[in-house]
Each structure stands twice: as C-alpha cells, then as structure tokens.
Amino acid sequence: MDSDPVKVADARKAGHDAVAMDVLAFDPGRRLRFVTMVQLLEHLPDLGTVERVIGRAAELATDFIYIHHPSFEDEDYLESLGLKLYYHDWPAHQCHVRRCQFVDMFERFSLQRYYFRGLEPVHHSSHPSILPSGAPQDSHQYDQSRHGPKPAIRFPRPIYQHVEIFGALREFTDEEWADLIKPYDMSRIEALQTAPPIASMGGEQVALFDCEEHTYFLAASGAPGRIATVFPFGPGSRRVIPVAGDWDGDGTDTVGVYDQESGQFHLANRPQVPTAEIIFGFGPRDTGWQPIAGDWNGDGKDTVGLYAPETSKFYLTNTLEAGNAEIVVRYGSSHCGWIPLAGDWNAAGADSVGLYCPDTSAFHLRTELSGEDGALVVRLGSQGKHFIPLAGDWDGDGRDGIGLYDPHHARFYITNRLADGEAEAQFSLPVSGADLRPVAGNWGLGS
C-alpha cells in the first residue's frame, strides 16, 4: 500500500501485490485482529504523520500492532566515528523515528504494553552494513573500491540494523504475550538442534541472560551445550543483572533480575514466565551494587543479597520482601574490581559468599558467613580478565563448584573441585549477544 502511484506501478511490475491508497484513509469495513507496518514509517514525511498512521492502525486492530523499522538509534554515535549504516542517509528515509519517540506515542495511545527487539546486530565496523560517513547516498553493502577505507572499530554494544515492535491493544495474559513476542526466527541461536554432544552433567545447569534484549537462554538438563528454552523476562530497564534461585523451596530454580536503577528485585516463581511475580526493593537505588542469591539460613529457600564494591560488604536478607539487611558481611578488598558470587562451598546445607579476582583468576570463597575463618582461595586456569564467574552444584553432590564464562566466545569452563587447576569441563551455549551474563540453577528441563 502506497500513496505514490509510480511506486505502486513499479512494485506490481516487480511481481508484488500493491495498491495505491492513502493509509490514513484505509477502511477494511471491519476490525482486524492486528495491523502490521513493515518498512513503512521511515518513508513518511514527519513525526506527526507517523503518529497518525500508528493511531489509525490502533483504531483498526483489536489485539495488537506490529512495526518492523530500520534502526536509527545509533546514528549519532556512528557519525561521531565517521561511520554510518548504509541506509541512514537514504533520501527516501525521511523520518528517522527512534525508540523514545515511539514510546512517547505509545503512552499517548495508552497501549496496554509494548515490546522492542533489536534485529541483525553488528558488533564491528568491518561488517558490510557499515560504511564510511562520506560514502555516496543510496549505497548498499560496503565496497571498498567505491566507498573507500573505513576505521576498524569494535563497538561496545551491538548496533542493530532493524527493530521490531509489538504494541498490545487489549489485555494479554503473561503466557499469551510471551508467545506473541517470541522471536519469529531463531537466528541468534546457532545450530540449536545440531550442537555437538558433550558429556552430561548430573547437577545444576547454566543459563545466559541477554541484558540488551532481556531474554533468558536456559540449558537442558544433562546436556549443558544444548538450549532447552528461550523466553523474555524483566521490567525492560536499562541496567538489569540476572539472578536465579529456588525462591519457594520446591527443588526447582527459577529466574529473576535486579534492576540497579530502581533498586528492585524482580523474581519469577514459575518456570519460563516473562514477568515477575515477586517484586521488592532492597538496598539503595541507582548504585553499582551487584546482586547475588543463596540460601543463607539453610531453610531450603533461596533469598537475595547485594555486594557493595566500595566497602567490600555483602548485605544479605532471609526474606523476599522490602527491608533492611539481616546479615552484613565484610569480605575482601574494596575498589578492586572483584566480582561477587555465592554457593555452598562445604556441603553444609547453607550458602555463603565469595569473590572472584579477574587479575589473578582466583576465587576467594568464604565457607561460613560468621567468623573470620574458613576461607578458600582457588585458581581456575589462567583465564582472561573479561571472564565472568559463576557457581553451581554441577555433579549434584550437595557442594557447589565454580566456573567461568568467556563472553567473547560464549564458552563455559567449570569444575567440581575447589582446588587449583584447569577446568574439568568446557562447553559453549549457541547464543550470541553483546552483553550476556551467566547464572546457574536446577531448571528441571529435559535434554
């Protein structure tokens, strides 16, 4: 559908179904379940027209609207580097709508909820979609002979080429919404069904949380290199960190996130649900404090805690509700860049805290929360400073082991031994992303 008859004629000549019509005047004679706007809004003359088109779509549909749109979020950032996405300066792209502008419109329309997903991530300027800023308009993929040289830059976060947006026009259950917004393809999960077999694990399994797209990827039981399920989760805030635990003591772990901006934990008590059932504030808002989870009192239920790197103090609670810390533990050195973790290091039935030093690849594990004794120092391999620590009962013997996640290669290194040495097992989860964080738990998912 296009108001330009010349474009419609060209589309028909190319074999496409096309009709000349003003989209604002479109009237199907009945309500539709949904309306899609694919590669449309960028061609409109201004934001006011974009808002009117989205508003008309919302009038026509009963359930939801869907938008597929070129991403202009990083236009200014790329320009500062002397780069651009190939379509950024196409003359036909008159309206460069960004996420904040969509959100403002959706709030004015009082949409029930909405969801954004970045598509086709680009991590390095060598990607063919990235051109020097001086390349001619209406260019496509990078051609050095035509576009000239460009700098080699690894981007600190992904540059998305497109974005897809779902907007709810009625109330959806969490399960309905999760089913609606799930990725329409699994291109981010490479070779999901053909991952090579690896040795099985009889205990807890790993998972990855994509902090950019707020999506969990849970490994299957007995097959740590195979993904069992994928689902969105969290409040959609910019600074969320994953946690996992057995919040209700039923023997199965479920996921959560800690929102650093609001100082709130969002925890799920059911498997693979997109929204939290338990939400509470704990600790100060908008700090760099880092979350952990564990069973501090040995009652079979996990609760949460926070680590303050500026004082090297852990603040722990035995309840899943707002309030002050019941346990405060000082451990390690402040301002050292150490990363917190928690586990049952001695099979005592209760968890304690630990710290990982990236500079030395050393785990400093405190076996008891009270007292000054009972510290273990364990070095796992000679890994890189960018590795992220995790802990889990990998063999199901009641004592937690340790592990490291290499985000550059999406690879895990784990061991059941709390002694210096190399990893006992290593494997990859077939997931790609710019900000993936690991957690571990008993997900109860088959292979």
Side-chain angles (χ1 to χ4, degrees):
M1 183 184 299
D2 201 290
S3 59
D4 186 340
V6 175
K7 290 182 180 178
V8 170
D10 290 342
R12 287 175 175 171
K13 189 179 296 183
H16 301 294
D17 292 330
V19 59
M21 182 180 293
D22 182 349
V23 66
L24 291 170
F26 176 60
D27 184 0
R30 60 184 176 87
R31 296 290 296 279
L32 308 171
R33 194 168 74 84
F34 61 89
V35 172
T36 66
M37 290 158 277
V38 178
Q39 310 287 43
L40 166 68
L41 302 178
E42 68 273 17
H43 297 285
L44 300 178
D46 51 56
L47 280 174
T49 306
V50 169
E51 184 161 354
R52 289 196 297 275
V53 169
I54 295 175
R56 180 58 180 155
E59 291 173 355
L60 293 172
T62 59
D63 287 17
F64 68 94
I65 58 174
Y66 173 81
I67 298 169
H68 191 288
H69 186 71
S71 176
F72 298 100
E73 296 300 314
D74 295 292
E75 190 173 11
D76 297 336
Y77 168 68
L78 288 174
E79 185 178 356
S80 72
L81 302 176
L83 299 169
K84 65 182 179 182
L85 277 166
Y86 65 92
Y87 57 76
H88 271 171
D89 58 359
W90 284 5
H93 288 178
Q94 300 178 63
C95 203
H96 294 194
V97 193
R98 301 185 181 183
R99 176 178 178 139
C100 62
Q101 294 164 324
F102 280 119
V103 168
D104 288 343
M105 297 178 200
F106 296 162
E107 293 295 330
R108 286 193 286 273
F109 294 139
S110 299
L111 294 191
Q112 295 286 332
R113 58 169 88 178
Y114 42 85
Y115 181 80
F116 290 77
R117 177 184 292 116
L119 303 173
E120 302 167 76
V122 176
H123 302 286
H124 196 278
S125 63
S126 61
H127 194 277
S129 67
I130 301 293
L131 307 183
S133 56
Q137 286 186 330
D138 281 332
S139 293
H140 289 270
Q141 300 296 295
Y142 177 64
D143 179 349
Q144 185 171 2
S145 64
R146 180 173 180 236
H147 300 133
K150 59 180 177 178
I153 299 171
R154 178 168 293 280
F155 304 129
R157 52 185 170 76
I159 305 295
Y160 292 104
Q161 298 181 63
H162 291 89
V163 60
E164 62 177 357
I165 309 166
F166 298 82
L169 302 174
R170 64 167 177 85
E171 289 188 8
F172 285 80
T173 67
D174 290 341
E175 290 77 9
E176 288 175 330
W177 185 246
D179 186 60
L180 174 65
I181 67 176
K182 66 184 179 183
Y184 63 87
D185 68 42
M186 303 298 280
S187 59
R188 296 181 65 249
I189 308 174
E190 305 150 4
L192 178 59
Q193 300 302 326
T194 58
I198 64 171
S200 65
M201 294 163 56
E204 293 183 334
Q205 297 298 329
V206 301
L208 287 171
F209 180 71
D210 188 328
C211 296
E212 293 276 349
E213 297 193 13
H214 302 94
T215 302
Y216 266 105
F217 302 82
L218 272 56
S221 298
R226 192 177 298 276
I227 295 172
T229 189
V230 180
F231 58 96
F233 184 83
S237 303
R238 291 177 300 167
R239 291 165 51 198
V240 293
I241 301 174
V243 292
D246 183 359
W247 315 123
D248 57 5
D250 67 352
T252 299
D253 292 308
T254 47
V255 301
V257 295
Y258 175 66
D259 183 350
Q260 288 184 313
E261 290 183 341
S262 67
Q264 289 185 321
F265 282 90
H266 297 248
L267 310 177
N269 238 343
R270 291 178 295 154
Q272 300 99 59
V273 295
T275 55
E277 297 146 296
I278 305 169
I279 301 174
F280 60 94
F282 182 66
R285 299 175 57 180
D286 206 21
T287 69
W289 290 19
Q290 301 168 51
I292 56 172
D295 180 3
W296 316 126
N297 60 4
D299 68 352
K301 298 179 181 180
D302 287 322
T303 51
V304 298
L306 291 170
Y307 171 69
E310 67 273 13
T311 60
S312 198
K313 286 184 178 179
F314 289 86
Y315 296 85
L316 311 177
T317 178
N318 284 316
T319 64
L320 296 179
E321 55 188 33
N324 296 322
E326 297 164 77
I327 305 166
V328 180
V329 178
R330 179 167 184 149
Y331 186 51
S333 302
S334 59
H335 297 290
C336 288
W338 290 14
I339 304 171
L341 69 162
D344 184 352
W345 314 124
N346 56 4
D351 291 321
S352 186
V353 299
L355 290 165
Y356 173 70
C357 175
D359 291 333
T360 61
S361 193
F363 288 81
H364 298 256
L365 309 177
R366 185 163 176 164
T367 56
E368 301 289 342
L369 287 175
S370 60
E372 296 296 328
D373 298 327
L376 296 172
V377 179
V378 180
R379 287 173 176 80
L380 178 57
S382 55
Q383 314 298 351
K385 293 184 178 181
H386 59 278
F387 282 32
I388 303 172
L390 71 161
D393 184 1
W394 313 126
D395 58 3
D397 68 350
R399 187 182 73 167
D400 285 318
I402 54 177
L404 291 170
Y405 172 67
D406 175 3
H408 290 181
H409 301 96
R411 194 154 189 83
F412 287 87
Y413 300 85
I414 65 170
T415 182
N416 291 300
R417 300 190 307 263
L418 295 182
D420 292 353
E422 299 298 324
E424 294 180 275
Q426 55 178 287
F427 55 89
S428 294
L429 273 188
V431 181
S432 61
D435 191 3
L436 298 172
R437 306 286 184 94
V439 291
N442 173 21
W443 314 128
L445 299 171
S447 57

